[in-house]
Amino acid sequence: MRFVLTLPLIAALAAPQAAYAQIAVADSGDTGWMMVCALLILLAALPGLMLRHAGQVNVRNALSVMAQGAGVIATVSLAWAIVGYSLAYAPGSAWLGGGANLLLANLAQLRDGLTVPESAFVLFQLALALLAACLLVGTVAERTRIGWFLGFAPLWLLLVYAPITHAVWGGGWLADLGVMDFAGGLVVHGVAGFSALALALIAGRRRDPASVGHAPVLSLAGGALLWIGLSGMVGGWALGATDDAATALLNHHFAACAAALTWALLDHVLGKRTSATGILSGALAGIAAIAASAALVGTGGAMLIGVIAAFLCRLVQPLVARHVDDSASVFAIHGLGGATGMLLLPVFALPLMGGVGFDIGITLTGALTSQAIGLVIVALWAMVGSAIAALIVSMLIPMRATAQEEADGLDLAQHGQQGWDFR
């Protein structure tokens, strides 16, 4: 009797049903991975760079350089949300994105071609922009006003960072030219490094030539946080929790280790003793270099890229310091490191060298030419754009602190506080 009663229900379930379109949903694992990677990069940008920069300046300026870093995080974050992301990634021309995503409007449930929501992609890209902007703080530390920097950083984002990001990663004209950059060797490290060079030249030298880092232990702690946090760049640009992400993380670490030991060895050979802070400087040079190719090269290639980058950056750093007062060596480490990795990418991406190879139709000569052209264009764009942004803001707010403020220390002059109270 019960079976008879259930016959209508069985018949209803067996009857043909109307077809409904499947709604694409984000992969929770990939989404979670990208969010974690974004937070790792923020860890590098906030406590990492703040501690590293604070340790590299005079004790009277440690608090001011950390305050500038926090202020840059705030202003650049808002600028990215209001217009920066749209200029970098919204559909537009080959030169710049459109206005579809102003104030982060019209974000898609899934970023095109990915398994993550566009909001997670926005967060990851925000973290990269913040890291690049915060690197600039250390370049002109101890001599720039915080008000000037808070005006410069968002303008730099719009004039320099967003257009270059669109050109390389947003389907723009440099991507069409064949420029390759897996995770920011050019777009993040290179742009920040060459922008830093322009700022250091404009700002001029510190009035106290004897100013040295007061707390190497803070620099080491900050550098260690950068080593860990910057793994989020290469892992996140795999755009999911995949084998590419794991490969990129391994190569990131191996390049950093090889570069750290190379720098330490050169310190010992050239200076008869190994600098403690130099070990982390070497690691960061290797990290900047491997970013462009982290998922595209083999283990041996990653190590060699780290060795070559550390060798070049260590030899060039004192030469740059003679002519340019870059307080944190952003150009010598990140700029030259990223540039080195960009030019080495085509060589170590070859299957013969353990890499993944090129798409059909791309030759080694063509790839090297594209990388070199892209590097030159981006370097010039970063320097000229940074100079324009600096001069525009300087018309409203003076860039340099006064001689008396520099003598007193920017902690007391600008904030009425001191980084350390020994009472």
Side-chain angles (χ1 to χ4, degrees):
M1 184 66 179
R2 289 181 181 175
F3 176 75
V4 174
L5 293 176
T6 58
L7 280 178
L9 177 61
I10 295 174
L13 293 174
Q17 302 293 316
Y20 293 96
Q22 294 294 316
I23 300 175
V25 295
D27 182 281
S28 59
D30 290 343
T31 303
W33 172 245
M34 284 201 69
M35 293 170 67
V36 168
C37 286
L39 293 177
L40 281 172
I41 301 169
L42 289 174
L43 182 73
L46 269 171
L49 281 174
M50 289 172 72
L51 288 171
R52 181 167 174 79
H53 292 161
Q56 291 173 319
V57 298
N58 188 282
V59 66
R60 296 168 299 177
N61 298 308
L63 188 64
S64 70
V65 78
M66 297 184 81
Q68 286 187 4
V72 165
I73 290 285
T75 56
V76 171
S77 295
L78 296 180
W80 183 256
I82 295 169
V83 66
Y85 176 76
S86 193
L87 293 180
Y89 285 104
S93 69
W95 295 89
L96 205 60
N101 299 128
L102 294 176
L103 283 170
L104 300 185
N106 306 311
L107 296 184
Q109 291 292 323
L110 281 180
R111 173 73 184 175
D112 289 345
L114 303 183
T115 57
V116 299
E118 191 166 11
S119 56
F121 184 76
V122 171
L123 175 63
F124 178 72
Q125 295 299 329
L126 166 64
L128 294 177
L130 293 177
L131 177 71
C134 286
L135 279 169
L136 302 180
V137 172
T139 298
V140 288
E142 304 189 89
R143 55 200 187 275
T144 52
R145 299 174 184 270
I146 186 171
W148 179 88
F149 230 115
L150 297 187
F152 167 80
L155 187 58
W156 174 85
L157 176 81
L158 303 182
L159 291 181
V160 177
Y161 184 82
I164 292 175
T165 300
H166 179 77
V168 179
W169 286 338
W173 65 284
L174 287 178
D176 293 338
L177 188 65
V179 175
M180 297 176 286
D181 182 9
F182 175 72
L186 179 64
V187 176
V188 177
H189 294 284
V191 168
F194 285 99
S195 296
L197 177 60
L199 288 185
L201 290 171
I202 293 170
R205 290 189 172 275
R206 287 166 284 188
R207 291 187 173 94
D208 180 7
S211 180
V212 294
H214 80 285
V217 68
L218 290 183
S219 296
L220 282 169
L225 284 171
L226 282 169
W227 188 332
I228 297 170
L230 291 179
S231 64
M233 284 180 60
V234 298
W237 257 119
L239 302 174
T242 63
D243 177 62
D244 282 347
T247 299
L249 289 174
L250 286 171
N251 285 339
H252 164 94
H253 187 66
F254 294 145
C257 292
L261 295 177
T262 301
W263 193 294
L265 177 61
L266 283 173
D267 270 352
H268 181 73
V269 171
L270 300 175
K272 304 305 180 185
R273 64 179 64 183
T274 299
S275 164
T277 54
I279 295 173
L280 266 297
S281 295
L284 292 177
I287 287 170
I290 197 61
S293 60
L296 310 177
V297 300
T299 301
M303 294 178 183
L304 284 173
I305 288 173
V307 169
I308 295 169
F311 183 83
L312 293 176
C313 293
R314 174 61 182 84
L315 293 181
V316 170
Q317 185 191 38
L319 300 177
V320 173
R322 293 178 188 175
H323 306 284
V324 181
D325 188 0
D326 181 351
S327 308
S329 296
V330 175
F331 172 68
I333 294 175
H334 297 271
L336 293 181
T340 301
M342 280 289 295
L343 297 177
L344 293 176
L345 186 160
V347 176
F348 288 99
L350 291 171
L352 179 65
M353 303 295 290
V356 299
F358 303 129
D359 291 337
I360 297 175
I362 299 177
T363 64
L364 175 60
T365 302
L368 284 169
T369 302
S370 295
Q371 295 297 90
I373 293 173
L375 176 59
V376 171
I377 291 172
V378 168
L380 291 174
W381 192 333
M383 294 183 69
V384 173
S386 298
I388 292 172
L391 295 175
I392 289 174
V393 177
S394 295
M395 293 178 184
L396 303 174
I397 306 172
M399 181 182 190
R400 284 288 296 249
T402 65
Q404 187 60 52
E405 288 174 334
E406 289 189 42
D408 294 340
L410 300 188
D411 289 1
L412 188 61
Q414 294 192 4
H415 305 289
Q417 297 173 300
Q418 292 179 313
W420 310 100
D421 188 348
F422 296 105
R423 289 177 299 174

